[in-house]
Amino acid sequence: MPTQLNQRHNANAIRILAMDAVQKANSGHPGAPMGMADIAEVLWREFLNHNPKNAKWANRDRFVLSNGHGSMLLYALLHLTGYDLSIDDIKNFRQLHSKTAGHPEHGYADGIETTTGPLGQGIANAVGFALAEKTLAAQFNRENHEIINHYTYAFLGDGCLMEGVSHEACSLAGTLGLGKLIAYYDDNGISIDGEVEGWFSDDTAKRFEAYGWQVLSVDGHDAEAIYKATQAAKAETDKPSLLICKTIIGLGSPNKQGKEDCHGAPLGADEIALTRAELGWADDTPFAIPQEIYQAWDATEKGAALEALWNEQFAKYQAAYPELAAELQRRLAGDLPSNFEQIADDFIKLCNQKGENIATRKASQNTIAAFAPHLPEILGGSADLAGSNLTLWSGAKGVQQHADGNYVHYGVREFGMTAIANGVALHGGFIPYTATFLMFMEYARNAVRMSALMKQRVINVYTHDSIGLGEDGPTHQPVEQIASLRNTPNHFTWRPCDTTETAVAWKMALTTAHAPTSLILSRQNLPFQARTDEQLANIEKGAYVLAHEKGELKAIIIATGSEVDLAMQAHSQLEGVRVVSMPCAEKFMEQDDAYRESVLPAGVRARVAVEAGITDYWYKFVGLDGKIVGMNSFGESAPAKDLFAHFGITADAVVAAVKSLI
């Protein structure tokens, strides 16, 4: 049990580092770190199981700072407990190429589990961590061998609770009974604009009780109370826990604590001097931390012992269950089974032989059914559209009904679903896929961006990809969404034209370990396109010549998805024209110059792109002199066939565009 005096003195080290770093950078948020320092001290020194010398230890507890603007809190904790984050790194806060960025960035420094810039997504990521822990434990633990057994702790603030994604994620966490998820709410009553009671008057306790959480209220500056509340949270195994911690933002600052003044701006040199005196901090040298405080915080010896104990437990597990142990190690490493590529290639060849005329959403379901039995790490899910997205397969087991399942019914929670999937991917041991209509990618958009930013293998299945979905009308018909996804850095967008390209797209998504992939799939049936072995091999390159020109090459038609068939129809009516299927423009742009030139010769300026989406994206491939057959407006409600004719996305339109250029 911590003593109040020691706790406060140790916590003050966080306050000193936070206000000094923000002052030196002349930028940042000192208030939250200073207000939450007491909670952090109890959690990190009394409860958190981690090893600063091995930040990737598999059974470590996960810590998420969802209110990521208070990043100096996390940086101070990592520095004080012994991670590879020096005092010079702290001094370099918010500077170019620093480990200590303005918001915690995954991959910049050891110990940062997830990037938490946009508020609310951190707590959603934490739900993903807890979901992954519970599911992985159910899949691998055996009697007397609890090899996966850790907690997920999250800090969050008023902003996280105001963001709708926190409702989506926390509601599902209660339904799933994620008992090893413990969140600490920094209830300080202040946001950037001032006192939140004018715009945030929710009864947070009742809200979370309604979700099915255990809710505890505590003085966020009382070490003993925080300790006991955390013990109570850990004792509740069937419900996630929310600790509502009443705190004072900027605690210790005589003139600014409890006010918005300290939320997002430096305290100022004079106020820092007054704060040091108020805290009883003897040394007025910036960034100076007494050695005895470093010793009190140092977690390296304890962390090494915790990991060593786990390694002993794992050795016993390995002896008792060698195959399970090897499988767990493979999955935690993020490696696919050694025979997966051969399995995928065999299925791709089978698709090419069968030549089915089916919707690519159905082709996707067939591919999942072929691949998933060989990939137990797949953890799929849909936002209440499984029967439309076709993401369920014969071996799917819902985690709601089976703790060791492989499928999540996310409900109508597109944003929460995607942010949770990011947490699942970050945890390790799983490859998550999500699903919804392409139009509703817009709800999930920022979480898609975050998976790209964090280089996570998350697969997004987006069906009903164009006006081809028909009668549901313009609210459901995507126009600009594919271009938006293609313009996202470190993200791959595959829009296959048939069963074969769909299978290849899934293979590429699964084998792309450091980026997310979105699969753009049709509602309507699409005709199969015959290919040679060479063409089949080139699909993986993102674009390839599907139909060669008759005679001298005069023009090129570039198409994706359902519009590839329109290009092929046009090809049959034209001389000197080739058709290029481009299921993934981003992958094509990664190819070497020679291959790209072989597909799209620079000397052939007569180019037409055809896609039932916004036209502007395609100028990068056809040039300003080329023609684009596509959408320049929103859709309408009508049968698909009528819509393609109405908007001029037809084979005749493609033929006319080509002839106008030759």
Side-chain angles (χ1 to χ4, degrees):
M1 179 76 70
T3 65
Q4 189 72 22
L5 182 61
N6 288 342
Q7 183 268 351
R8 181 56 57 83
H9 192 51
N10 291 327
N12 284 343
I14 297 173
R15 297 183 171 100
I16 294 298
L17 291 173
M19 65 183 186
D20 283 350
V22 172
Q23 184 67 27
K24 184 175 184 295
N26 195 30
S27 174
H29 300 75
M34 296 174 73
M36 296 196 78
D38 299 315
I39 308 166
E41 194 274 345
V42 173
L43 175 61
W44 277 64
R45 293 193 63 242
E46 304 292 339
F47 291 98
L48 194 73
N49 288 336
H50 63 120
N51 183 1
K53 298 307 178 187
N54 182 10
K56 297 299 183 183
W57 169 38
N59 202 44
R60 68 192 181 278
D61 290 336
R62 270 56 168 185
F63 174 78
V64 178
L65 183 70
S66 187
N67 44 344
H69 55 274
S71 57
M72 265 311 305
L73 174 63
L74 179 54
Y75 299 146
L77 290 165
L78 295 174
H79 170 69
L80 290 167
T81 54
Y83 284 80
D84 183 19
L85 200 72
S86 69
I87 195 66
D88 287 334
D89 292 321
I90 299 293
K91 292 177 181 179
N92 206 29
F93 178 57
R94 285 182 169 237
Q95 305 308 301
L96 184 64
H97 303 312
S98 170
K99 293 181 180 180
T100 51
H103 294 82
E105 297 283 358
H106 176 72
Y108 280 48
D110 286 347
I112 300 174
E113 299 285 2
T114 182
T115 297
T116 51
L119 292 176
Q121 287 198 62
I123 185 61
N125 293 163
V127 172
F129 282 119
L131 170 61
E133 188 278 338
K134 181 177 181 179
T135 308
L136 200 67
Q139 291 180 357
F140 283 95
N141 288 353
R142 295 296 183 268
E143 187 175 358
N144 299 321
H145 292 280
E146 289 197 352
I147 205 66
I148 300 297
N149 180 20
H150 52 267
Y151 284 82
T152 300
Y153 299 98
F155 284 3
L156 67 157
D158 291 304
C160 296
L161 291 178
M162 283 186 262
E163 291 286 358
V165 68
S166 70
H167 163 73
E168 296 182 27
C170 293
S171 168
L172 185 60
T175 299
L176 295 176
L178 300 180
K180 289 185 178 177
L181 172 61
I182 300 174
Y184 299 77
Y185 164 35
D186 181 26
D187 184 14
N188 62 40
I190 297 294
S191 66
I192 291 175
D193 282 354
E195 297 180 6
V196 301
E197 61 185 12
W199 47 87
F200 183 54
S201 58
D202 301 15
D203 189 327
T204 299
K206 289 182 179 177
R207 170 184 165 186
F208 275 77
E209 286 169 357
Y211 292 156
W213 287 51
Q214 174 183 226
V215 178
L216 305 166
S217 295
V218 65
D219 179 347
H221 302 299
D222 184 333
E224 184 176 349
I226 298 164
Y227 184 91
K228 290 180 177 178
T230 303
Q231 282 187 315
K234 293 188 70 173
E236 173 55 74
T237 58
D238 295 328
K239 298 179 179 180
S241 294
L242 178 71
L243 279 62
I244 299 177
C245 304
K246 196 65 183 175
T247 63
I248 299 171
I249 192 171
L251 182 71
S253 171
N255 298 306
K256 295 188 177 183
Q257 70 176 25
K259 302 176 182 178
E260 64 269 23
D261 300 30
C262 66
H263 181 281
L267 297 182
D270 292 342
E271 187 67 14
I272 286 177
L274 293 173
T275 303
R276 275 183 157 78
E278 180 72 16
L279 296 176
W281 198 263
D283 196 335
D284 61 0
T285 306
F287 301 100
I289 305 296
Q291 194 58 39
E292 63 268 21
I293 288 185
Y294 275 121
Q295 291 173 353
W297 272 103
D298 186 13
T300 55
E301 185 175 339
K302 177 184 175 183
L306 286 168
E307 184 177 355
L309 178 61
W310 184 83
N311 286 337
E312 291 177 13
Q313 295 170 340
F314 186 78
K316 294 176 182 177
Y317 176 77
Q318 198 169 29
Y321 304 99
E323 292 182 2
L324 272 179
E327 179 71 358
L328 178 59
Q329 288 176 316
R330 177 190 70 77
R331 285 174 55 172
L332 290 174
D335 298 330
L336 296 176
S338 59
N339 64 342
F340 172 71
E341 288 214 33
Q342 186 61 57
I343 290 168
D345 289 343
D346 288 345
F347 180 73
I348 290 165
K349 290 176 183 176
L350 179 62
C351 290
N352 213 43
Q353 291 167 5
K354 291 175 70 174
E356 294 178 292
N357 298 327
I358 58 177
T360 51
R361 62 171 175 160
K362 179 60 179 174
S364 171
Q365 184 182 47
N366 293 346
T367 305
I368 296 170
F371 290 176
H374 307 282
L375 296 171
E377 57 263 54
I378 283 184
L379 184 62
S382 173
D384 201 48
L385 289 168
S388 294
N389 301 144
L390 301 185
T391 47
L392 281 171
W393 57 288
S394 60
K397 294 196 306 181
V399 298
Q400 283 91 335
Q401 298 81 27
H402 307 275
D404 63 345
N406 56 14
Y407 195 86
V408 185
H409 292 276
Y410 282 103
V412 188
R413 299 181 176 97
E414 295 87 358
F415 192 1
M417 169 182 67
T418 311
I420 289 169
N422 288 345
V424 169
L426 287 159
H427 178 279
F430 292 100
I431 301 174
Y433 71 79
T434 70
T436 186
F437 291 170
L438 176 57
M439 187 66 245
F440 303 141
M441 175 279 293
E442 294 289 359
Y443 287 132
R445 184 71 184 88
N446 200 265
V448 175
R449 182 179 188 270
M450 294 302 290
S451 55
L453 184 70
M454 294 189 287
K455 302 177 181 178
Q456 294 303 298
R457 179 165 43 188
V458 178
I459 301 171
N460 308 302
V461 177
Y462 294 137
T463 68
H464 296 60
D465 65 346
S466 72
I467 56 173
L469 69 89
E471 293 85 349
D472 279 339
T475 60
H476 284 50
Q477 292 167 3
V479 173
E480 71 277 25
Q481 284 66 38
I482 302 177
S484 175
L485 288 168
R486 287 186 181 128
N487 283 322
T488 302
N490 194 49
H491 174 275
F492 293 94
T493 309
W494 284 83
R495 187 172 184 240
C497 75
D498 65 2
T499 57
T500 304
E501 286 191 359
T502 302
V504 172
W506 261 106
K507 176 193 172 183
M508 297 305 292
L510 288 162
T511 55
T512 301
H514 301 295
T517 299
S518 292
L519 306 178
I520 313 301
L521 307 171
S522 74
R523 173 181 182 267
Q524 71 274 31
N525 289 343
L526 302 182
F528 172 76
Q529 304 296 334
R531 297 171 184 82
T532 64
D533 289 343
E534 181 182 3
Q535 289 169 325
L536 187 65
N538 285 337
I539 296 174
E540 293 187 0
K541 298 178 181 179
Y544 62 102
V545 179
L546 178 61
H548 287 275
E549 58 277 10
K550 303 165 190 172
E552 180 187 356
L553 177 59
K554 299 176 182 178
I556 301 171
I557 305 171
I558 307 169
T560 78
S562 52
E563 289 70 68
V564 168
D565 185 56
L566 299 181
M568 293 298 285
Q569 291 179 42
H571 177 267
S572 68
Q573 303 175 46
L574 296 164
E575 298 289 332
V577 175
R578 74 168 47 166
V579 172
V580 171
S581 177
M582 190 177 287
C584 185
E586 304 95 313
K587 182 58 66 173
F588 178 66
M589 293 305 295
E590 286 187 348
Q591 305 308 311
D592 59 37
D593 292 344
Y595 180 75
R596 284 187 286 155
E597 174 67 16
S598 72
V599 176
L600 298 176
V604 181
R605 304 297 298 275
R607 299 183 183 185
V608 174
V610 53
E611 183 175 66
I614 200 72
T615 58
D616 284 2
Y617 175 83
W618 288 103
Y619 285 109
K620 69 187 293 180
F621 290 109
V622 304
L624 295 178
D625 297 329
K627 293 290 181 72
I628 304 165
V629 177
M631 297 290 294
N632 290 297
S633 69
F634 295 117
E636 294 286 351
S637 179
K641 183 178 179 181
D642 295 342
L643 289 171
F644 279 99
H646 173 74
F647 288 105
I649 305 175
T650 64
D652 288 344
V654 177
V655 170
V658 172
K659 287 182 175 179
S660 73
L661 295 175
I662 295 178

